[in-house]
């Protein structure tokens, strides 16, 4: 099994260390939006083994971690090998007012989808205004007109 010499590999590795967060967003791109009373997070994880995907919440930090294994083919000469492999993680700081104990997750067609409900106490609600009993008219105005 011959390995092709790549003079830019070391530079690419160093740049990956310097710009690690950019690498994470490039290898785990995501979309996040609010829909009604929950947030939806889609994270692209093509080629990740579903058994290696891990989602954790610690305090207010949501971590998504996944593993992509290298393909091991016997008797091949690689002409290009650009698909990233290894363990990838993405962390998000989540705000207050989310029901973090009620997050649901699915993994379909290489996309991890997390549904994060808004906590009941943080949902907007309309406050009904009660009409009070009508007050009697102020009698002081009547007294001035009668005493003059």
């Amino acid at each position: 099994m011959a390995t092709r010499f790549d003079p830019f590999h070391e530079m690419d590795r160093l740049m990956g260390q310097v710009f690690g967060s950019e690498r994470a967003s490039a290898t785990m791109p995501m979309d996040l939006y609010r829909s009604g009373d929950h947030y939806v997070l889609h994270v692209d994880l093509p080629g990740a083994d579903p058994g290696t995907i891990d989602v954790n919440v610690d305090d207010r930090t949501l971590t998504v971690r996944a593993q992509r294994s290298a393909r091991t083919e016997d008797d091949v000469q690689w002409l290009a090998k650009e698909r990233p492999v290894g363990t990838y993680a993405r962390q998000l700081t989540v705000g207050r007012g989310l029901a973090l104990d009620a997050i649901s997750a699915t993994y379909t067609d290489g996309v991890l989808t997390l549904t994060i409900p808004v906590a009941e106490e943080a949902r907007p609600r309309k406050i009904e205004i009660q009409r009070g009993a009508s007050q009697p008219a102020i009698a002081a105005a009547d007294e001035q007109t009668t005493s003059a």
Side-chain angles (χ1 to χ4, degrees):
M1 177 181 205
T3 304
R4 212 175 93 174
F5 175 69
D6 182 0
F8 298 106
H9 177 73
E10 188 61 21
M11 178 187 281
D12 194 34
R13 187 184 67 76
L14 290 172
M15 292 300 282
Q17 287 176 346
V18 172
F19 300 108
S21 61
E22 287 180 21
R23 180 174 177 247
S25 64
T27 57
M28 291 179 75
M30 67 174 209
D31 291 334
L32 175 64
Y33 58 90
R34 182 171 179 164
S35 177
D37 61 354
H38 60 275
Y39 288 88
V40 178
L41 175 68
H42 296 289
V43 181
D44 286 350
L45 296 172
D49 176 14
T52 68
I53 299 173
D54 184 42
V55 179
N56 277 309
V57 178
D58 184 12
D59 191 23
R60 295 182 349 140
T61 302
L62 173 71
T63 303
V64 176
R65 182 172 282 119
Q67 173 77 33
R68 281 191 209 128
S69 301
R71 293 187 69 138
T72 55
E73 307 288 335
D74 292 337
D75 246 1
V76 297
Q77 180 182 3
W78 290 99
L79 302 175
K81 195 170 184 176
E82 298 175 350
R83 297 173 62 208
V85 296
T87 301
Y88 296 90
R90 186 95 190 247
Q91 290 187 321
L92 301 168
T93 301
V94 294
R96 298 189 192 288
L98 298 177
L100 299 177
D101 56 342
I103 295 174
S104 63
T106 59
Y107 181 64
T108 306
D109 297 331
V111 178
L112 175 68
T113 299
L114 300 179
T115 303
I116 309 165
V118 174
E120 185 64 39
E121 63 272 5
R123 292 183 185 166
R125 50 182 79 56
K126 183 164 177 71
I127 307 299
E128 186 178 332
I129 300 172
Q130 301 292 323
R131 182 177 173 150
S134 56
Q135 300 290 325
I138 299 176
D142 289 338
E143 288 178 17
Q144 287 181 351
T145 57
T146 57
S147 59

